[in-house]
Amino acid sequence: RVPFPLLLPKPVFIIVDQFEELLKRHPDQAMAWADAICHNHGRNNYARILFVVNSDYGAQSLLNLATHGLQFERIQMQKPTERWRLAALDRKLLQKCQHNVGLYWMAKQRLKSGALMPSEVEPFALQSKQRWARDFAVPFPQWPHPEWFHLELVEAKKELLQGLFALLQVETRSPSESFQRSMAMLALVRRE
């Protein structure tokens, strides 16, 4: 028997904020975990899972999981266009902060305390965003794109070699760990 539709439990929302930070620190475990949570909770409509990422590469890493038959939809936040939403904000300061609300509140607090001068807001915003990109964004997708499965071996090896430089730039690994991973990658790419 099928239960009356109104009596079925409604799906819950699981919000995974700052997924990219987890992805950068533990790439293998993070993607396996994301795959497992989507498969176990999203498949039977038990939950809606929202992954919050900062970069296109973080989003692409998750979208590439769609090869398993999972359904993903990408939602991108845009800056508000309605003036009433910005009524309580200093629009000039928000613009100097590149329309980033988190940066806006940080800059506003520092301006109020005197730790930041008005002429320093734009460099502060630029440096903060660059630091966040370095610390919290992944430099390339962490899961193979479905197109990789259609590449010839030589083409795939060339693409893999291009990712080597980005792999060496991961700051959460020690130099010896980066070297070991790079050597393992080169073993796949080298001519036999």
Side-chain angles (χ1 to χ4, degrees):
R1 277 202 267 178
V2 177
F4 192 68
L6 295 176
L7 300 177
L8 290 175
K10 294 188 179 202
V12 297
F13 284 89
I14 300 172
I15 301 173
V16 183
D17 196 7
Q18 298 182 356
F19 178 71
E20 237 171 322
E21 186 175 352
L22 179 67
L23 189 58
K24 190 162 184 176
R25 291 177 191 244
H26 310 283
D28 298 331
Q29 295 92 339
M31 289 307 295
W33 178 78
D35 189 28
I37 197 170
C38 290
H39 182 71
N40 292 328
H41 298 291
R43 171 185 67 184
N44 294 322
N45 209 19
Y46 294 136
R48 303 273 193 267
I49 301 110
L50 301 173
F51 292 95
V52 180
V53 295
N54 298 317
S55 74
D56 288 334
Y57 290 139
Q60 192 62 49
S61 297
L62 289 164
L63 290 171
N64 290 346
L65 281 178
T67 59
H68 297 289
L70 299 171
Q71 183 67 29
F72 285 97
E73 183 178 344
R74 183 174 181 177
I75 301 169
Q76 207 166 1
M77 290 180 58
Q78 302 294 327
K79 60 184 177 184
T81 56
E82 300 90 5
R83 290 192 174 265
W84 64 270
R85 291 182 188 254
L86 303 173
L89 302 177
D90 177 352
R91 290 189 193 127
K92 289 181 182 179
L93 180 60
L94 185 64
Q95 185 175 6
K96 287 181 179 180
C97 293
Q98 302 173 11
H99 299 280
N100 184 304
V101 176
L103 267 176
Y104 170 84
W105 289 111
M106 287 173 58
K108 187 171 182 168
Q109 185 179 37
R110 288 180 184 212
L111 285 168
K112 186 177 181 180
S113 71
L116 189 68
M117 301 300 294
S119 62
E120 300 171 330
V121 172
E122 290 182 71
F124 168 75
L126 182 64
Q127 289 172 353
S128 296
K129 286 190 84 169
Q130 287 174 341
R131 188 180 70 246
W132 293 345
R134 183 195 69 219
D135 293 345
F136 304 121
V138 292
F140 52 86
Q142 299 287 323
W143 193 266
H145 191 275
E147 290 179 8
W148 273 66
F149 301 117
H150 302 292
L151 288 176
E152 294 294 325
L153 183 59
V154 174
E155 292 176 69
K157 285 183 177 185
K158 285 179 184 176
E159 292 287 329
L160 197 57
L161 186 58
Q162 289 175 353
L164 180 60
F165 178 75
L167 180 66
L168 291 171
Q169 299 299 319
V170 177
E171 297 175 14
T172 57
R173 293 192 192 113
S174 70
S176 63
E177 288 174 325
S178 291
F179 178 76
Q180 289 171 350
R181 283 193 167 225
S182 300
M183 292 311 292
M185 187 181 230
L186 279 174
L188 296 172
V189 177
R190 283 191 189 132
R191 290 186 178 189
E192 298 173 3

